[in-house]
Amino acid sequence: MTRTVALVHGWGFDASLWDGVRPLLGDDVAVTALDLGFFGRPRLEMPPVVDLAVGHSLGVLWLLTEAPGRWRRLAAVNGFPRFTAAADFPHATPARVVERMQSRLATQPREVLDAFRARCGAGPAVAEPDPARLAWGLDLLRSGDGRSALPADTAALAGADDPIVSTVMTQAAFPLASLRPGGHLLPITDPAAVAAFIREALPDHE
């Protein structure tokens, strides 16, 4: 029986983030890769309910805040339910990091984008970015909090050397997260491991 998966990328990337993962998921998995529109028109259509929703980085926060209840199970890859630190989430990223990006984005969108991608271990963006959508994404990173919607059975995979989401931050959000060698772009650098993680996270049909 075919099972359904929705994939959502993170800030500064697009649906092609998953290109190496999708062929490895098998013919019995129907995949919808959403696009948040950082380089063109957003593509946010997904089935009413999928068996598994998988977010990378910001994609997890988007699923929790913008599409809650649209999955039977949630999975996070290099992800988080909240990005900036709070009194009850102190090990996350200081808000000033995102605020600096926000202050520069209006006049230097390409520089802000490519500097972030370089931190992730990616090259400069090839396509022309949409500054308004990038600003929207930064606002979600700065203010979004999906912890109240986070299911207890969320599966999580993280890179032990992730320069964006620290191991401490990951474990604060997902105490049972699986860590493996790698950085912030596991779907690109280790697609086989990500595909295996997704297949393992798929819920059984009832």
Side-chain angles (χ1 to χ4, degrees):
M1 183 177 294
T2 299
R3 290 179 287 179
T4 54
V5 172
L7 305 173
V8 187
H9 62 85
W11 192 86
F13 291 84
D14 60 21
S16 68
L17 175 91
W18 304 101
D19 284 357
V21 175
R22 295 180 64 170
L24 304 177
L25 292 177
D27 295 337
D28 60 335
V29 177
V31 178
T32 300
L34 281 65
D35 197 301
L36 298 180
F38 298 130
F39 301 97
R41 184 184 298 275
R43 299 194 307 272
L44 305 178
E45 299 80 12
M46 60 185 286
V49 178
V50 295
D51 290 314
L52 183 69
V54 186
H56 173 260
S57 192
L58 172 70
V60 179
L61 180 56
W62 185 89
L63 284 163
L64 289 168
T65 58
E66 304 294 326
R70 301 285 301 276
W71 58 80
R72 292 180 58 213
R73 192 179 188 197
L74 179 69
V77 179
N78 301 114
F80 43 81
R82 179 186 174 101
F83 188 65
T84 55
D88 59 349
F89 198 54
H91 299 299
T93 302
R96 65 178 180 275
V97 173
V98 180
E99 290 165 355
R100 282 198 298 265
M101 294 173 69
Q102 289 176 310
S103 68
R104 295 179 54 221
L105 188 69
T107 57
Q108 299 175 295
R110 171 66 74 167
E111 290 81 356
V112 171
L113 171 64
D114 287 345
F116 173 78
R117 289 173 61 98
R119 281 193 64 205
C120 293
V126 176
E128 190 65 26
D130 183 334
R133 290 299 291 177
L134 290 174
W136 163 83
L138 287 181
D139 186 62
L140 183 56
L141 285 172
R142 171 65 183 84
S143 305
D145 192 338
R147 289 177 295 166
S148 64
L150 185 67
D153 69 342
T154 299
L157 178 68
D161 302 305
D162 190 328
I164 306 298
V165 184
S166 69
T167 299
V168 174
M169 178 176 167
T170 295
Q171 292 175 336
F174 309 110
L176 300 180
S178 297
L179 291 175
R180 64 174 296 104
H184 189 63
L185 300 178
L186 291 180
I188 295 175
T189 60
D190 202 344
V194 173
F197 163 74
I198 290 173
R199 288 197 62 87
E200 179 67 25
L202 275 163
D204 294 328
H205 277 292
E206 297 176 354

